[in-house]
């Protein structure tokens, strides 16, 4: 009895306060975001806030730092004890998620103790995480030139003189790189790319699959992170989709405010299509969090100004409502790793991003895409976690786009947090990348308006010059990055093709990284490179049966984290066997039918699974799924 009382006291003290709201229909909730310029009544952003002059540390504030550390240490200890005594705060969580949630919860209350430089350094700690293995990374710097852009970016474009530079990096999975190198050598032998393609028509489908280019836009609340910091996302994305990924480093806030970030993304898009001659239908725009919103803003800008749209989009937990109007900001605050912005303008991401134009720009569709109209946009794969604070706005985004005629595949993952794909020790991250592979390689070519093309010789030469140079570096089989240069990379890759076991050359004292145990559906081959999932696309009538079989493979059980010494292996293994049933996958049809009863429109909250279920009932849900 005493133990139960302590458990009730603990969970009650850490749970978010219940929010009493008036029951609203789904239609009414969507109508709040149909009028750009109209501030929603439920917004959590104070429009009177203005940018501050910066952070000033006072000597008498020094005591606050040890107080903050003690507070976090005590909360962490309490959460770890509770996890082992009474179980995790969310049913499927391991000890890793309990620790992450404990460290990040309510951290915004102490924002006065840091400045933007300290936050960026703290965010860069993620770069210390061992990378997924078997990829080649090539940093790139290019000049931003005037492109006679139309619409909102016309003024930004007019200021360009060709001197400003942007940076980014190409990420190519090792298997794809080896295949491309083989094609390049064969082309040089034949001397004619077109005749080479004619001679290999039997390999046409695989060659078309290699022609995909993913433009990746990183997240970080518009003021932190970078393309390099998001390699835990971009490397597996390239490996699973068998596509070349270009990740852009756009200018960050508050040094650059809206729409400067969008201008950088649009300039990068046109560099790929105009300078490198990549067909737009071969491009897929992808991004996480704020990067997902920028990717959606890119689509809206291209459509509004009559430019050719890319073939599709993949959005990971996109932040599409800067007004913070949805209820999940309260209901999931106790679980997600994203801290809610503080009450002041200091380090407030919305204030830093919009600057003094907050009141005019916060509901602009290019800043808060949820306020936009989605007619004519390409197919989208949207993934989010059930326990993240952005859950409700992402669900509304999917519904609104579906009603506008967009092919939308919405996937919510039970108990998952914001951008869970970035955490290699989470099994759901692997399933999410498998779904990306299915979407890019099998589903998207069937539903996009124009099928992807086999890249011609000019395009391949441009891409080869951009990716194969002395800046290329290899992420080895143990997850360690090496800066070798083009010639040494060629020699190393040749040795890997000859040696029976590349990893046998590594010191036994080097512990395996998360990258080495990165999940694949096949076992590693003799070269030491992780095998790419090669299961063919099959149509099944019982998706849960197939997913359950995949989840029980030995590869899933290989997934471990650096914190696995704390894990309750019995609980984790028990959850691993039945977790596929927890994944919620909804394919939203562009032609919804009438609901069976008016009550389906009267859900009291938008963050509950019942809303997604009722909306799925209103649409024609696909009866089959694809496992790839």
């Amino acid at each position: 009895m005493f133990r139960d009382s302590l458990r009730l006291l603990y969970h009650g003290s850490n749970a978010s306060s219940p929010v009493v709201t008036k029951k609203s229909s789904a239609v009414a909730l969507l109508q709040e975001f149909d009028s750009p310029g109209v501030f929603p009544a439920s917004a959590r952003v104070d429009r009177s806030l203005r940018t501050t002059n910066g952070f000033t540390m006072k000597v008498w504030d020094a005591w606050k730092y040890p107080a903050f550390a003690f507070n976090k240490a005590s909360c962490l200890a309490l959460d770890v004890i509770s996890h082992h005594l009474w179980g995790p705060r969310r049913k499927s969580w391991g000890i890793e998620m309990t620790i992450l949630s404990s460290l990040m919860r309510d951290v915004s209350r102490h924002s006065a103790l840091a400045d933007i430089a300290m936050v960026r350094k703290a965010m860069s700690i993620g770069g210390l995480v061992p990378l997924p293995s078997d990829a080649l990374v090539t940093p790139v710097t290019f000049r931003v030139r005037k492109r006679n852009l139309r619409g909102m970016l016309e003024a930004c474009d007019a200021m360009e003189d060709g001197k400003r530079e942007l940076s980014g990096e190409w990420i190519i999975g090792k298997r794809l790189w080896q295949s491309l190198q083989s094609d390049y050598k064969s082309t040089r032998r034949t001397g004619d790319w077109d005749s080479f393609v004619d001679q290999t028509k039997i390999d046409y489908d695989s060659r078309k699959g290699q022609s995909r280019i993913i433009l990746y836009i990183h997240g970080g609340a518009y003021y932190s992170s970078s393309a390099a910091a998001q390699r835990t996302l971009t490397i597996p994305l390239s490996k699973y989709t068998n596509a070349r990924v270009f990740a852009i480093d756009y200018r960050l806030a508050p040094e650059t405010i809206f729409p400067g970030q969008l201008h950088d993304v649009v300039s990068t898009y046109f560099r790929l299509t105009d300078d490198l001659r990549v067909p737009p239908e071969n491009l897929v725009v992808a991004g996480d969090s704020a990067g997902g919103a920028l990717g959606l803003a890119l689509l809206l800008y291209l459509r509004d100004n009559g430019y050719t749209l890319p073939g599709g989009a993949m959005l990971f937990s996109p932040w599409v409502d800067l007004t913070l109007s949805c209820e999940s900001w309260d209901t999931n605050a106790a679980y997600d790793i994203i801290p809610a912005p503080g009450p002041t303008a200091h380090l407030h991401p919305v204030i830093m991003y919009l600057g003094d134009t907050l009141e005019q720009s916060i509901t602009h569709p290019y800043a808060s895409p949820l306020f936009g109209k989605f007619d004519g946009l390409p197919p989208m794969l949207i993934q989010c976690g059930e326990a993240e604070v952005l859950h409700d706005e992402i669900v509304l985004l999917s519904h609104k786009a579906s009603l506008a005629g967009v092919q939308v595949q919405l996937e919510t993952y039970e108990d998952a947090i914001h951008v869970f794909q970035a955490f290699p020790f989470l099994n759901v991250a692997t399933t999410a990348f498998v779904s990306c592979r299915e979407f890019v390689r099998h589903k998207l070519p069937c539903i996009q308006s124009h099928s992807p093309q086999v890249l011609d010789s000019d395009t391949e030469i441009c891409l080869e010059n951009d990716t194969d140079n002395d800046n290329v570096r290899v992420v080895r089989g143990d997850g360690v990055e090496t800066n070798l240069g083009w010639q040494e990379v060629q020699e190393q890759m040749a040795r890997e093709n000859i040696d029976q076991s590349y990893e046998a050359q590594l010191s036994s004292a080097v512990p395996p990284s998360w990258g080495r145990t990165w999940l694949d559906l096949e076992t590693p081959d003799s070269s030491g490179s992780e095998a790419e999932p090669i299961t063919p696309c099959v149509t099944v009538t019982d998706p849960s049966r197939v997913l359950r079989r995949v989840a029980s493979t030995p590869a899933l059980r290989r997934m471990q984290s650096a914190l696995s010494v704390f894990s309750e292996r019995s609980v984790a293994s028990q959850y691993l066997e039945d977790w596929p049933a927890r994944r919620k996958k909804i394919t939203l049809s562009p032609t919804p039918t009438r609901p069976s009863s008016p009550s389906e429109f009267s859900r009291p909250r938008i963050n509950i699974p019942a809303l997604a279920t009722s909306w799925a009932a209103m649409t024609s849900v696909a009866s089959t799924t694809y496992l790839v």
Side-chain angles (χ1 to χ4, degrees):
M1 181 176 180
F2 178 70
R3 176 176 171 175
D4 293 339
S5 299
L6 287 178
R7 180 177 184 177
L8 181 62
L9 177 62
Y10 168 76
H11 287 290
S13 63
N14 286 277
S16 57
S17 301
V19 179
V20 180
T21 59
K22 182 180 179 180
K23 291 184 178 181
S24 301
S25 66
V27 173
L29 291 169
L30 288 172
Q31 286 177 349
E32 291 187 5
F33 302 96
D34 281 341
S35 302
V38 178
F39 208 66
S42 58
R44 293 168 174 80
V45 175
D46 185 358
R47 288 181 290 178
S48 64
L49 293 177
R50 293 295 182 267
T51 55
T52 58
N53 294 327
F55 171 77
T56 302
M57 176 62 185
K58 300 179 178 61
V59 176
W60 50 86
D61 288 335
W63 67 271
K64 296 181 180 179
Y65 290 96
F68 169 73
F70 176 79
N71 177 64
K72 275 299 166 187
S74 59
C75 290
L76 178 61
L78 182 61
D79 286 342
V80 171
I81 293 173
S82 175
H83 178 95
H84 285 282
L85 292 181
W86 304 306
R89 298 170 58 80
R90 304 287 294 197
K91 185 176 181 180
S92 65
W93 279 9
I95 188 63
E96 303 93 344
M97 280 310 312
T98 296
I99 293 176
L100 282 175
S101 176
S102 179
L103 291 175
M104 297 303 299
R105 189 167 59 246
D106 297 331
V107 72
S108 61
R109 296 180 182 178
H110 307 276
S111 61
L113 300 178
D115 61 359
I116 187 68
M118 295 173 63
V119 173
R120 288 174 179 171
K121 288 180 180 179
M123 294 290 289
S124 66
I125 293 178
L128 300 178
V129 175
L131 297 174
S133 63
D134 295 344
L136 287 92
V137 177
T138 307
V140 173
T141 301
F142 61 93
R143 294 185 182 274
V144 180
R145 60 184 180 89
K146 187 179 300 184
R147 298 184 182 272
N148 298 320
L149 298 179
R150 301 187 287 268
M152 186 180 190
L153 299 181
E154 182 178 358
C156 296
D157 182 70
M159 298 174 62
E160 297 297 341
D161 56 5
K163 296 181 179 179
R164 186 169 68 89
E165 293 184 342
L166 281 178
S167 60
E169 61 182 29
W170 284 100
I171 301 96
I172 304 177
K174 190 176 293 184
R175 286 179 175 272
L176 173 59
W177 190 87
Q178 291 171 335
S179 177
L180 292 172
Q181 292 299 313
S182 176
D183 290 348
Y184 296 152
K185 292 178 182 178
S186 300
T187 305
R188 296 188 187 100
R189 286 197 299 267
T190 60
D192 185 0
W193 177 267
D194 295 330
S195 64
F196 171 67
V197 173
D198 291 338
Q199 295 171 7
T200 56
K201 286 186 179 294
I202 191 173
D203 201 27
Y204 178 82
D205 290 337
S206 63
R207 194 169 305 284
K208 190 193 315 188
Q210 295 174 1
S211 300
R212 282 289 189 191
I213 308 294
I214 297 177
L215 170 58
Y216 194 87
I217 310 168
H218 70 80
Y222 298 106
Y223 69 86
S224 65
S225 196
S226 65
Q230 298 297 76
R231 289 179 188 170
T232 53
L233 287 166
T234 54
I235 289 179
L237 193 60
S238 176
K239 291 174 59 177
Y240 276 91
T241 61
N242 199 42
R244 284 165 277 197
V245 177
F246 184 76
I248 179 63
D249 278 318
Y250 54 84
R251 291 171 292 174
L252 299 177
E255 294 84 357
T256 301
I257 63 172
F258 173 82
Q261 290 81 357
L262 177 60
H263 180 221
D264 291 348
V265 171
V266 171
S267 298
T268 305
Y269 176 82
F270 284 119
R271 179 179 184 266
L272 294 174
T273 58
D274 296 349
D275 299 351
L276 301 184
R277 305 179 183 182
V278 177
E281 56 267 26
N282 287 43
L283 278 171
V284 177
V285 175
D288 65 279
S289 192
L294 279 174
L296 194 52
L298 168 64
L299 301 182
L300 294 175
Y301 173 82
L302 295 175
R303 182 208 58 188
D304 293 345
N305 294 278
Y307 297 112
T308 306
L309 290 164
M314 294 185 294
L315 310 177
F316 305 148
S317 302
W319 185 16
V320 293
D321 174 26
L322 296 184
T323 67
L324 317 182
S325 298
C326 292
E327 190 180 352
S328 55
W329 276 98
D330 292 331
T331 57
N332 287 338
Y335 309 111
D336 203 4
I337 61 172
I338 295 184
T344 66
H346 180 61
L347 291 184
H348 197 300
V350 178
I351 308 299
M352 290 191 292
Y353 179 47
L354 302 180
D356 293 334
T357 66
L358 181 143
E359 192 162 358
Q360 297 80 21
S361 303
I362 192 170
T363 58
H364 194 287
Y366 297 166
S368 295
L370 188 56
F371 288 86
K373 299 185 182 300
F374 305 120
D375 308 76
L377 295 189
M380 293 187 290
L381 168 65
I382 304 176
Q383 297 178 343
C384 71
E386 186 187 30
E388 68 171 295
V389 294
L390 303 183
H391 173 268
D392 290 356
E393 61 191 73
I394 295 172
V395 172
L396 282 180
L397 166 69
S398 304
H399 294 163
K400 189 174 184 180
S402 178
L403 288 177
V406 181
Q407 294 281 350
V408 177
Q409 180 171 310
L410 169 65
E411 295 178 358
T412 63
Y413 292 79
E414 186 175 17
D415 297 340
I417 57 171
H418 184 66
V419 195
F420 61 90
Q421 300 90 340
F423 299 95
F425 54 82
L426 297 179
N427 296 307
V428 290
T430 300
T431 303
F433 285 121
V434 171
S435 182
C436 292
R437 173 185 168 90
E438 169 196 339
F439 179 77
V440 171
R441 300 189 64 178
H442 299 286
K443 180 171 292 186
L444 189 56
C446 299
I447 61 178
Q448 67 180 94
S449 57
H450 299 285
S451 298
Q453 306 175 20
V454 174
L455 300 182
D456 59 27
S457 58
D458 293 337
T459 303
E460 286 291 358
I461 290 173
C462 291
L463 291 174
E464 182 183 10
N465 293 335
D466 218 37
T467 58
D468 291 350
N469 51 57
D470 285 337
N471 293 326
V472 66
R473 55 197 65 182
V474 178
V475 180
R476 301 186 315 196
D478 60 350
V480 176
E481 178 184 337
T482 61
N483 191 357
L484 300 174
W486 186 82
Q487 186 62 37
E488 293 189 26
V489 166
Q490 295 282 346
E491 296 175 358
Q492 175 179 333
M493 299 299 289
R495 289 196 299 269
E496 288 193 32
N497 286 333
I498 297 174
D499 294 341
Q500 293 184 351
S501 177
Y502 168 63
E503 285 192 338
Q505 302 175 12
L506 303 178
S507 171
S508 58
V510 179
S513 70
W514 286 342
R516 185 62 198 91
T517 58
W518 195 265
L519 173 68
D520 285 313
L521 299 182
E522 301 291 336
T523 56
D525 65 1
S526 60
S527 66
S529 301
E530 292 186 33
E532 187 180 310
I534 56 175
T535 308
C537 176
V538 294
T539 303
V540 296
T541 56
D542 184 5
S544 61
R545 177 176 55 82
V546 178
L547 290 174
R548 191 177 301 112
R549 185 173 69 250
V550 174
S552 62
T553 58
L556 269 174
R557 300 189 183 93
R558 295 202 324 263
M559 291 292 295
Q560 293 182 5
S561 72
L563 301 176
S564 60
V565 293
F566 300 99
S567 298
E568 299 172 346
R569 297 184 181 273
S570 60
V571 176
S573 60
Q574 179 181 0
Y575 176 76
L576 184 61
E577 293 296 332
D578 64 355
W579 94 267
R582 305 171 183 270
R583 179 191 179 197
K584 303 170 185 176
K585 180 175 180 179
I586 306 172
T587 302
L588 299 177
S589 168
T591 56
T593 58
R594 290 184 61 85
S596 57
S597 64
S599 62
E600 292 179 3
F601 274 124
S602 58
R603 298 294 177 184
R605 303 191 312 185
I606 63 175
N607 68 321
I608 55 177
L611 175 61
T613 304
S614 66
W615 198 279
M618 296 165 54
T619 62
S620 56
V621 181
S623 59
T624 60
T625 189
Y626 297 93
L627 175 67
V628 289

